C-alpha cells in the first residue's frame, strides 16, 4: 500500500531545501525565484554537491497534461535537483506508425474523425529521455530507483511483443461515449468505469472498431508505457492507474464481470504503486550514466502523486491540484464511487482517496491569457470581493466531475470590458466548481473536508487562494511540496527500500 512507506517522508517537518554535509567540500544551491530547475554551484572538480559519501538518491518523473517534470530526492526528502520540459509538438502524419522495418497504417475512417493531430507517443518518449539528460550527470550514478506518474485514464493500445503503439493514445479527458452502453451493461451500477472517459470505455471503443491486431494487442497506461521504455518488461501497471479499467483495489484483483469479457486478455498485471519491476535497461544505463542496479518501480496517476507530495495524512485533509485541469483528492475513512458524478476512490492503506477530476482549470486560462497577463491581472484582483460573473470554464465541450456530462459546453460569456474583472470571474467560477465538488463528496458519504492543500501551478496564485478560501469556508494553503514529481520520487524511494529488504 502507498502509505506503507515507513518514513518521515509524509511528515510536515521534513526539510524543504537542499543542504551540504561534506566536511571537505563546500557547495551552495541557488534557487531561482521563477525557475523550476535547481542550480548547483560547487568548487572546481566537485562531483558530489550536497550529497554525503555513500548516499543514494531517488528519481521521480511526472508526465502531466501540459508538460513533464523530474524531482531528485534523498531518503530524508530533501530535493537535490528538479526541472521541467514542455512537450515538443509533433504532427501526426496520416495516423502512420513505423514499426522497425514495416509500416502500419491505422485507418480511422470507419471509427470517427480524429480532432487531435499531435503525435503524443513521439512527444512523450522524447521528453522522457530529455528529462534523463537534464538530471545532473554527477548525480545519476547514485540514483537507486526511478518511478513515473502519468495522467489518469490516458490509454495506450500496444503490440504485446514489441511495445509499439497499435493505435493513437486515448487522452485522459477523451470521452468514448459510443462504448458507454456496452460498459454499463456489464459493470455494476454507477461503477467508476461507467463514464465515457474511463479506461474501460476507451478499450471497448477500440475493441469494437478494429478488426485486426487484437491477438497481439495489450493495454497500458501512459505511465506504464514510459516505465516500459526504461525496464523493458511489458504488461505491468499499478492499481491506481488500473482503477478506471475496472480493477478492484479492495479485492486487489480484476472482478469476474471484467475477466469474462473477450478483451480481458489485453489487461496488464497489477502491482502496488512503488513496486520494483526490474532494473534500468543496460543501453539506457550506459548511455546516461546511471548505476547498474538502478531499479525501475511502478508508478501512479499524476493527481495521486501530487497528493503524496503534499503529505496530507489525516482523514478530512484534501489536496486540490490546479494544473491544466482541476483534480481533487480527499483522504476519507469511507470509500465512495459514483460514476454519475465522476467520483471514484483510490486505496491508501486502510483509508481511501476519494475524488475526481474536472476539465476546468489552467488550460482554460491559457486559452485566454498569457502567463504574464495572468500574473499582472491577478495582482489587481480584490479576492474579498464577490464577482457577479457566473461562468463554467472549460477548454472544450465535455465535463467529468463534479458531473459527468460529455456534452457540457463551455460558458465564458458575457466578457466584460475589464480583463481584471474577466479573470476574477473565471477564477471565482473555478473555485465554485471546486466547492461543489467537496460538497458532493460529503453528500455521497465521504469524510467531511477540513483543510485543503493546493498543488500544481495554480498554487502560486495567492489571490486565487484567497478567493477559494472565501468560497470554501476552509483553510486553504499551498502544499509544502507542490509537484507531482516529488510524489513519484517518494514511490521510487519506497521501491528502493523494498529492494533493500
Amino acid at each position: 500500500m502507498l502509505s506503507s512507506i515507513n518514513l518521515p517522508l509524509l511528515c510536515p517537518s521534513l526539510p524543504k531545501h537542499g543542504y551540504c554535509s561534506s566536511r571537505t567540500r563546500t557547495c551552495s544551491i541557488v534557487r531561482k525565484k521563477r525557475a523550476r530547475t535547481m542550480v548547483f554551484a560547487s568548487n572546481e572538480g566537485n562531483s558530489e554537491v550536497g550529497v554525503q559519501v555513500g548516499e543514494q538518491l531517488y528519481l521521480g518523473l511526472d508526465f502531466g497534461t501540459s508538460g513533464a517534470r523530474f524531482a531528485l530526492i534523498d531518503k530524508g526528502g530533501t530535493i537535490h535537483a528538479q526541472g521541467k520540459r514542455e512537450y515538443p509538438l509533433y504532427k501526426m502524419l496520416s495516423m502512420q506508425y513505423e514499426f522497425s522495418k514495416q509500416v502500419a497504417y491505422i485507418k480511422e475512417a470507419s471509427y470517427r474523425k480524429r480532432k487531435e493531430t499531435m503525435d503524443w507517443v513521439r512527444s512523450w518518449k522524447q521528453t522522457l529521455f530529455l528529462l534523463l539528460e537534464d538530471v545532473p550527470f554527477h548525480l545519476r550514478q547514485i540514483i537507486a530507483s526511478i518511478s513515473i506518474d502519468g495522467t489518469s485514464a490516458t490509454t495506450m493500445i500496444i503490440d504485446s511483443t514489441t511495445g509499439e503503439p497499435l493505435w493513437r493514445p486515448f487522452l485522459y479527458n477523451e470521452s468514448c461515449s459510443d462504448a458507454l452502453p456496452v460498459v454499463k451493461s456489464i459493470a455494476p451500477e454507477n461503477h467508476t468505469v461507467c463514464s465515457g472517459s474511463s479506461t474501460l470505455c476507451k478499450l471497448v471503443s477500440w475493441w469494437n472498431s478494429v478488426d485486426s491486431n487484437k491477438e497481439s494487442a495489450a493495454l497500458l497506461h501512459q505511465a506504464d508505457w514510459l516505465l516500459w521504455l526504461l525496464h523493458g518488461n511489458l504488461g505491468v501497471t499499478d492499481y491506481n492507474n488500473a482503477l478506471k479499467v475496472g480493477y478492484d483495489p479492495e479485492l486487489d484483483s480484476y472482478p469476474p464481470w471484467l475477466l469474462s469479457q473477450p478483451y480481458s486478455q489485453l489487461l496488464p498485471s497489477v502491482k502496488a504503486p512503488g513496486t520494483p519491476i526490474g532494473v534500468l535497461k543496460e543501453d539506457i544505463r550506459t548511455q546516461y550514466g546511471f548505476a547498474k542496479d538502478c531499479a525501475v518501480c511502478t508508478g501512479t496517476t499524476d493527481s495521486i502523486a501530487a497528493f503524496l507530495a503534499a503529505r496530507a495524512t489525516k482523514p478530512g485533509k484534501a489536496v486540490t491540484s490546479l494544473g491544466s485541469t482541476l483534480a481533487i483528492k480527499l483522504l476519507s475513512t469511507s470509500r465512495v464511487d459514483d460514476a454519475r458524478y465522476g467520483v471514484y476512490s483510490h486505496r491508501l492503506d486502510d483509508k481511501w482517496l476519494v475524488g475526481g477530476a474536472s476539465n476546468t482549470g489552467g488550460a482554460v486560462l491559457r486559452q485566454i491569457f498569457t502567463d504574464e497577463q495572468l500574473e499582472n491581472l491577478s495582482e489587481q484582483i480584490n479576492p474579498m470581493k464577490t464577482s457577479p460573473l457566473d461562468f463554467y470554464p472549460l477548454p472544450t465541450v465535455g465535463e467529468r466531475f463534479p458531473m459527468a456530462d460529455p456534452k457540457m459546453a463551455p460558458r465564458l460569456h458575457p466578457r466584460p470590458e475589464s480583463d481584471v474583472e474577466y479573470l476574477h470571474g473565471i477564477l471565482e467560477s473555478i473555485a465554485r466548481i471546486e466547492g461543489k465538488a467537496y460538497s458532493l463528496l460529503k453528500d455521497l458519504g465521504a469524510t467531511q473536508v477540513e483543510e485543503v492543500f493546493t498543488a500544481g501551478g495554480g498554487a502560486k496564485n495567492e489571490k486565487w487562494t484567497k478567493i477559494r478560501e472565501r468560497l470554501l469556508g476552509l483553510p486553504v494553503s499551498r502544499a509544502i511540496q507542490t509537484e507531482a514529481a516529488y510524489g513519484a520520487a517518494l514511490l521510487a524511494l519506497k521501491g528502493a527500500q523494498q529492494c533493500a529488504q
Side-chain angles (χ1 to χ4, degrees):
M1 301 306 172
L2 292 181
S3 60
S4 65
I5 306 176
N6 188 20
L7 293 169
L9 285 174
L10 300 183
C11 173
S13 63
L14 278 177
K16 293 186 286 184
H17 306 291
Y19 64 91
C20 304
S21 56
S22 173
R23 297 179 181 177
T24 59
R25 299 176 176 89
T26 59
C27 70
S28 62
I29 297 176
V30 181
R31 287 178 177 266
K32 294 183 179 180
K33 289 183 178 179
R34 296 184 183 178
R36 295 184 189 270
T37 302
M38 297 188 71
V39 180
F40 289 76
S42 66
N43 288 342
E44 58 185 32
N46 184 6
S47 62
E48 293 184 359
V49 178
V51 181
Q52 294 181 3
V53 175
E55 187 171 16
Q56 292 183 316
L57 301 179
Y58 313 91
L59 179 61
L61 304 170
D62 161 49
F63 279 73
T65 54
S66 59
R69 294 169 171 80
F70 80 86
L72 188 62
I73 68 172
D74 62 27
K75 64 181 179 181
T78 298
I79 297 175
H80 287 261
Q82 56 184 338
K84 68 174 182 177
R85 286 274 182 173
E86 293 184 357
Y87 295 130
L89 304 178
Y90 295 120
K91 292 289 186 179
M92 199 172 283
L93 302 176
S94 302
M95 295 304 301
Q96 176 179 308
Y97 288 100
E98 186 173 345
F99 306 148
S100 301
K101 296 182 180 179
Q102 72 179 43
V103 176
Y105 294 92
I106 302 172
K107 299 179 181 179
E108 284 196 287
S110 61
Y111 181 56
R112 56 189 166 88
K113 290 184 178 180
R114 172 69 166 147
K115 294 181 180 179
E116 181 60 67
T117 59
M118 271 286 294
D119 188 346
W120 286 111
V121 172
R122 182 183 176 191
S123 180
W124 294 334
K125 183 176 181 179
Q126 178 166 336
T127 301
L128 172 64
F129 293 108
L130 287 173
L131 285 177
L132 294 184
E133 289 181 355
D134 291 342
V135 176
F137 182 80
H138 65 279
L139 298 178
R140 296 178 198 170
Q141 188 63 225
I142 58 174
I143 294 175
S145 54
I146 301 172
S147 186
I148 298 176
D149 72 76
T151 48
S152 177
T154 294
T155 307
M156 300 181 68
I157 307 296
I158 62 165
D159 186 292
S160 60
T161 302
T162 67
E164 296 291 344
L166 296 175
W167 198 258
R168 52 87 185 170
F170 294 86
L171 299 184
Y172 66 97
N173 60 347
E174 186 173 346
S175 179
C176 293
S177 55
D178 58 296
L180 196 53
V182 175
V183 170
K184 286 185 175 181
S185 70
I186 61 172
E189 187 177 5
N190 298 326
H191 192 279
T192 303
V193 298
C194 298
S195 167
S197 61
S198 73
T199 309
L200 185 57
C201 276
K202 292 164 183 172
L203 171 59
V204 171
S205 182
W206 175 84
W207 181 268
N208 290 338
S209 305
V210 177
D211 296 325
S212 60
N213 294 325
K214 289 182 179 179
E215 291 184 1
S216 63
L219 180 146
L220 287 181
H221 306 89
Q222 179 192 32
D224 309 332
W225 188 78
L226 291 167
L227 286 164
W228 164 75
L229 292 174
L230 300 182
H231 59 65
N233 299 314
L234 272 174
V236 183
T237 188
D238 63 271
Y239 59 58
N240 293 150
N241 272 299
L243 182 75
K244 293 184 180 179
V245 78
Y247 190 82
D248 191 326
E250 198 163 13
L251 298 176
D252 210 12
S253 66
Y254 290 111
W257 60 262
L258 179 58
L259 291 175
S260 64
Q261 304 306 315
Y263 40 78
S264 65
Q265 66 190 40
L266 277 69
L267 299 176
S269 63
V270 182
K271 300 180 181 295
T275 300
I277 309 170
V279 295
L280 200 61
K281 290 165 60 177
E282 185 175 357
D283 59 337
I284 297 175
R285 178 183 63 79
T286 55
Q287 179 179 351
Y288 293 95
F290 286 87
K292 185 177 182 180
D293 57 352
C294 179
V296 182
C297 309
T298 49
T300 185
T301 67
D302 55 348
S303 61
I304 289 183
F307 187 93
L308 293 176
R311 299 193 291 271
T313 58
K314 296 180 180 180
K317 306 294 184 181
V319 174
T320 296
S321 297
L322 293 174
S324 296
T325 60
L326 182 149
I328 281 174
K329 289 285 183 292
L330 168 66
L331 194 59
S332 172
T333 57
S334 302
R335 180 182 181 181
V336 176
D337 295 281
D338 197 324
R340 294 175 300 171
Y341 307 104
V343 175
Y344 53 93
S345 295
H346 284 281
R347 191 167 185 173
L348 188 60
D349 195 21
D350 59 343
K351 299 180 181 63
W352 297 92
L353 285 180
V354 183
S358 169
N359 288 336
T360 192
V364 182
L365 297 171
R366 284 194 169 88
Q367 287 179 347
I368 303 171
F369 304 105
T370 65
D371 288 348
E372 184 177 359
Q373 286 175 323
L374 287 171
E375 185 175 349
N376 293 334
L377 294 173
S378 294
E379 287 298 321
Q380 303 174 57
I381 292 175
N382 179 359
M384 306 314 295
K385 180 181 178 181
T386 302
S387 171
L389 301 173
D390 182 20
F391 300 138
Y392 204 105
L394 294 171
T396 186
V397 173
E399 176 60 305
R400 297 176 290 163
F401 169 74
M403 61 188 74
D405 184 356
K407 297 181 180 179
M408 178 180 284
R411 191 172 73 247
L412 286 162
H413 290 91
R415 177 168 182 166
E417 294 183 5
S418 169
D419 284 344
V420 175
E421 292 180 11
Y422 192 39
L423 177 59
H424 187 178
I426 295 174
L427 295 180
E428 191 148 324
S429 295
I430 295 176
R432 280 195 294 269
I433 295 172
E434 181 184 5
K436 290 177 182 178
Y438 282 120
S439 295
L440 174 65
L441 297 185
K442 178 188 174 184
D443 293 342
L444 292 177
T447 300
Q448 183 171 349
V449 60
E450 296 177 355
E451 184 177 9
V452 176
F453 300 101
T454 311
K460 301 176 183 177
N461 192 319
E462 295 181 1
K463 296 296 182 73
W464 198 3
T465 298
K466 291 185 181 299
I467 290 172
R468 294 168 53 228
E469 196 166 39
R470 170 171 55 84
L471 289 176
L472 294 176
L474 296 167
V476 178
S477 61
R478 186 176 179 179
I480 295 175
Q481 296 294 341
T482 62
E483 298 296 349
Y486 187 91
L490 295 182
L491 289 179
L493 172 55
K494 174 190 175 185
Q497 290 182 321
Q498 291 182 15
C499 289
Q501 292 177 352

